[in-house]
Amino acid sequence: MNKLRFYLTVAIAALWLGIAADANAANTAAGKFGRGLAGMTCGFLEIPGNIVHETRRSGAMGFPVGLAKGLGMTVTRELVGVYEFISAPFPVPAGFRPILSPEYPWDYF
């Protein structure tokens, strides 16, 4: 029973530290590297993300508009992801700020 309690405590502490570190890592080289990796691998999420965003904003007309925007933003997200991945060690733009908004493709949801 003591081993279970110990492992549970360690797991909760690791999770808590991971969440706290993630909030701080956004404007660092590691955060920029992660954004680039996410942009390169999950750029396809721009399509459903923009559909959801535009539908919430405009109702039923948001579906075709979101689909068109999502298709265009998929290419943009992939290219910016490659740029951020390669230029991660350099603080460009100043302070490692993200180029696209939202930062990650899954932030639409």
Side-chain angles (χ1 to χ4, degrees):
M1 187 62 149
N2 284 337
K3 278 188 175 184
L4 177 64
R5 188 177 301 169
F6 173 75
Y7 289 131
L8 186 59
T9 303
V10 169
I12 290 172
L15 180 65
W16 182 75
L17 288 173
I19 291 171
D22 186 41
N24 254 352
N27 291 332
T28 63
K32 186 176 178 182
F33 180 81
R35 279 194 313 266
L37 191 60
M40 288 188 311
T41 58
C42 299
F44 65 91
L45 289 176
E46 285 289 336
I47 297 169
N50 274 293
I51 291 172
V52 167
H53 177 71
E54 291 297 323
T55 303
R56 286 181 182 158
R57 214 176 73 162
S58 307
M61 268 313 286
F63 184 84
V65 172
L67 180 64
K69 260 178 103 172
L71 288 171
M73 283 300 294
T74 298
V75 174
T76 304
R77 177 75 65 180
E78 298 281 341
L79 292 175
V80 169
V82 170
Y83 169 76
E84 285 193 326
F85 185 80
I86 292 171
S87 68
F90 311 108
V92 177
F96 299 103
R97 285 176 295 151
I99 295 173
L100 295 177
S101 179
E103 253 181 277
Y104 296 98
W106 52 79
D107 284 347
Y108 288 107
F109 309 103

